[in-house]
Amino acid sequence: MDRQRFSVTTPIYYINDRPHVGTAYTTIAADVLARYWRQRLGKGKVFFLTGTDEHGAKIERRAKSEGKAPKDFADEVAAVYEQTWTIMNISFDDFIRTTEPRHKKVVVKLVTELQSATTPKGNLAIYEGHYTGLYCVGHEAFMKDSDLADGLCPDHKTKPETVTEKNWFFRLSDYNETLQALIEAGEFTVAPETRKNEILGYIAQGLEDVAITRPNVAWGIPVPFDKKQTIYVWVDALMNYVSALGGPGGAKYKKFWPADVHLIGKDITKFHCLIWPALLLALKLPLPKMVFAHGFFTVNGQKMSKSLGNAVDPLTLVETYGNDALRYSLLRDIAFGTDGDFSEDRLKERYSSDLANGLGNLVSRVTNMVEKYADGKFTRRAKETPAEFTKAMDILRFDEALRVIWNHVDAANKTIDDRAPWTMAKEGKIKESKNEELKNLLNELANTVLDVNDLLAPFLPESSAKISAAFKKPVKKAEPLFPRLT
Ligand code: MSP
């Protein structure tokens, strides 16, 4: 895929609680993409955005239950997010918080512009109306009876509140045909295919108008033209993707908007694939090129989430297994786009089989033999990138990309077992041609490891840096990359 620059985002996370493996999953995937494109395009050509979603009833209530002012509470948890991603070696370029003045300024400007915007059918894009119905505070979303399972929100297992309120509405119902045409033509890509079909299904049923303001939520950005209301937290949040770039018109916006990929979980597709593009159309701004929705991490089949009490703290796993092993296991075990059960046993298994015995063993054997039998020398040839790897990365199939890499790792280990370089070294004392054969083999192996290392770098940045260091000439036997677990 040819690109001049690359821009990737994660959802901005709610700060009602700390990060867990589910939120880390999206962030790690975005990090892999950002590193991959930095490697291909060079510095300054990639923009990787993450951040925190801090307004709305859910946060307001959570702060209250902690006996804290919402902003103080937000400051604390937003800092935990930023620290967690830093410890996890996430290479974000910007961290946007919706309570920052730079964000609020852009949101107010865009919402003001919506007032005079018109829809493709020539109607005013927003109007005043009333809503009576269900609201799930966990989702910060208006819901219908048909969204519930046994009267409860299927994700939060709570009963939604019934609210009657006066809101400003956005005329989403005027965008059915326009959105359908853009998605079908691939001008606005919704991936994977299952999610695209789901979204086209919603459009076929006919989209309904959506509230964009809330009258009874104090913790939010005041509506510029109706000070008794605040901007609905989802509209506020979606606009982070452009507010972080300084809003339309600025230099950063010109360079990095539209985003190449909004990475999200499958729980928030309606917001990203329907409401967000329609708002952008109303504002006459370009749409993101792609929204990619991955699946859920489940624990015994249930979505991992703080509210269900089955969340796993990524930092606990990082302490035991390291950042790279967590990244590897999350991305290798589940095809990006589908659901998968999380299990620490699986992570442990991957750690010892693929990482310690596979990659770690290969690097230590090759560096050891290059040091011992080739005076630490080898000749680097031009690097090779397998076409299947590039293809997998283009469609965000990280599991496939890793499988391609590990085919090379396994093949190289097998070559060592089959050809037994140590025997060649012994025979070389008697037969000179064996020395030549050994040198060529080690050269081949060193090059394979460095080719593999190049592909690995976005996935396992810490191990990759160690491998590069170990192959600085003269090569010396590398320290174990993945020490035995205690
Ligand atoms: N604040 C909104 C997003 C606003 S974006 C403009 C939100 N936040 S969230 O904290 O609930 O995070 C949601 C995202 O976290 C999901 O879309 C997904 O990317 C990730 N995940 C949260 N739980 C997850 C799993 N159990 N499994 C996989 N991803 C999960 O929604």
Side-chain angles (χ1 to χ4, degrees):
M1 201 176 285
D2 275 334
R3 289 193 155 115
Q4 303 304 313
R5 54 87 170 151
F6 181 73
S7 163
V8 57
T9 66
T10 72
I12 49 171
Y13 301 109
Y14 286 130
I15 47 151
N16 58 315
D17 241 315
R18 306 160 64 88
H20 61 78
V21 172
T23 43
Y25 183 54
T26 322
T27 315
I28 288 171
D31 187 60
V32 168
L33 280 180
R35 287 176 187 272
Y36 174 71
W37 284 100
R38 272 189 213 114
Q39 207 182 25
R40 290 186 59 169
L41 301 172
K43 277 215 167 99
K45 303 279 178 59
V46 170
F47 185 68
F48 168 15
L49 176 66
T50 189
T52 42
D53 188 353
E54 306 187 3
H55 288 129
K58 165 151 129 169
I59 309 298
E60 191 174 43
R61 290 182 195 178
R62 184 63 213 271
K64 200 167 170 203
S65 76
E66 299 263 313
K68 291 180 180 146
K71 180 65 167 66
D72 294 340
F73 175 71
D75 287 347
E76 276 172 33
V77 190
V80 173
Y81 268 91
E82 207 169 339
Q83 279 157 15
T84 304
W85 302 150
T86 305
I87 294 171
M88 291 181 69
N89 207 0
I90 300 297
S91 64
F92 55 87
D93 294 299
D94 198 355
F95 188 99
I96 182 97
R97 299 183 52 191
T98 54
T99 49
E100 285 179 85
R102 63 170 175 150
H103 172 74
K104 293 193 220 171
K105 203 173 88 193
V106 173
V107 172
V108 165
K109 186 159 178 284
L110 296 180
V111 170
T112 307
E113 280 174 26
L114 276 180
Q115 236 190 329
S116 52
T118 50
T119 70
K121 299 199 170 153
N123 296 312
L124 277 177
I126 67 170
Y127 64 92
E128 262 184 300
H130 286 89
Y131 174 83
T132 298
L134 302 172
Y135 191 86
C136 169
V137 176
H139 276 122
E140 288 287 13
F142 300 92
M143 289 189 123
K144 286 194 231 141
D145 282 322
S146 54
D147 295 325
L148 309 182
D150 299 328
L152 302 180
C153 162
D155 290 327
H156 296 97
K157 314 284 180 224
T158 49
K159 194 166 177 265
E161 295 168 10
T162 303
V163 296
T164 296
E165 49 187 52
K166 185 184 133 240
N167 316 76
W168 285 87
F169 282 82
F170 174 61
R171 214 179 292 273
L172 186 62
S173 57
D174 271 9
Y175 289 83
N176 287 307
E177 294 81 7
T178 315
L179 287 173
Q180 183 181 349
L182 288 167
I183 294 171
E184 281 176 349
E187 276 178 60
F188 171 54
T189 304
V190 176
E193 199 70 13
T194 42
R195 301 277 88 93
K196 175 179 164 181
N197 294 337
E198 185 181 80
I199 288 295
L200 288 173
Y202 293 136
I203 297 176
Q205 284 165 26
L207 301 176
E208 287 176 22
D209 296 347
V210 289
I212 58 161
T213 68
R214 305 267 343 255
N216 303 318
V217 180
W219 180 235
I221 303 175
V223 176
F225 44 84
D226 187 347
K227 293 276 167 20
K228 292 188 296 298
Q229 307 227 6
T230 53
I231 296 168
Y232 172 40
V233 62
W234 264 102
V235 172
D236 169 353
L238 288 163
M239 289 179 174
N240 90 86
Y241 300 127
V242 289
S243 75
L245 298 168
K252 227 176 186 177
Y253 173 91
K254 282 189 189 141
K255 184 161 179 196
F256 289 115
W257 189 260
D260 292 273
V261 191
H262 284 325
L263 276 191
I264 60 167
K266 66 174 188 178
D267 50 339
I268 52 178
T269 49
K270 281 188 193 168
F271 298 101
H272 283 82
C273 306
L274 298 169
I275 300 178
W276 179 226
L279 285 171
L280 288 166
L281 287 168
L283 292 164
K284 298 197 164 44
L285 299 175
L287 307 193
K289 292 183 197 146
M290 176 195 272
V291 174
F292 190 104
H294 62 68
F296 281 162
F297 260 103
T298 50
V299 179
N300 302 324
Q302 276 213 323
K303 183 190 176 201
M304 180 186 289
S305 86
K306 283 283 173 186
S307 34
L308 296 180
N310 60 1
V312 177
D313 185 341
L315 292 185
T316 320
L317 298 170
V318 163
E319 241 170 66
T320 313
Y321 305 96
N323 277 326
D324 283 2
L326 178 63
R327 292 164 76 99
Y328 179 77
S329 137
L330 294 185
L331 295 178
R332 175 78 200 252
D333 274 333
I334 299 165
F336 203 58
T338 60
D339 292 347
D341 233 33
F342 175 78
S343 113
E344 192 173 339
D345 285 343
R346 209 60 208 112
L347 166 57
K348 218 181 266 176
E349 214 174 289
R350 288 285 187 195
Y351 185 97
S352 48
S353 64
D354 301 19
L355 298 175
N357 296 335
L359 178 67
N361 195 26
L362 176 67
V363 170
S364 106
R365 291 163 104 186
V366 174
T367 50
N368 180 33
M369 291 189 291
V370 173
E371 179 184 13
K372 221 154 104 189
Y373 306 135
D375 294 328
K377 291 187 213 143
F378 69 97
T379 314
R380 181 76 172 122
R381 53 162 162 66
K383 74 169 191 211
E384 284 172 27
T385 305
E388 338 165 54
F389 175 83
T390 313
K391 204 173 124 211
M393 291 304 282
D394 280 345
I395 55 166
L396 282 72
R397 281 296 301 271
F398 305 117
D399 56 317
E400 279 292 315
L402 287 168
R403 193 185 51 74
V404 173
I405 301 178
W406 254 260
N407 284 345
H408 288 266
V409 169
D410 295 343
N413 268 326
K414 186 164 185 307
T415 303
I416 298 176
D417 295 342
D418 291 350
R419 298 191 55 195
W422 44 89
T423 313
M424 287 181 194
K426 264 192 218 147
E427 291 170 358
K429 291 190 180 127
I430 314 159
K431 206 170 163 198
E432 185 49 34
S433 68
K434 282 286 166 190
N435 286 329
E436 196 55 25
E437 201 182 325
L438 175 62
K439 199 176 141 212
N440 290 341
L441 174 61
L442 292 179
N443 215 61
E444 196 48 44
L445 287 167
N447 275 287
T448 303
V449 174
L450 287 178
D451 283 350
V452 157
N453 193 37
D454 202 64
L455 308 180
L456 270 182
F459 292 94
L460 309 183
E462 291 169 16
S463 311
S464 169
K466 287 184 196 159
I467 296 172
S468 301
F471 278 86
K472 289 258 152 60
K473 289 176 205 162
V475 177
K476 295 216 167 57
K477 182 176 183 198
E479 293 292 313
L481 288 177
F482 299 96
R484 200 176 285 277
L485 296 169
T486 46

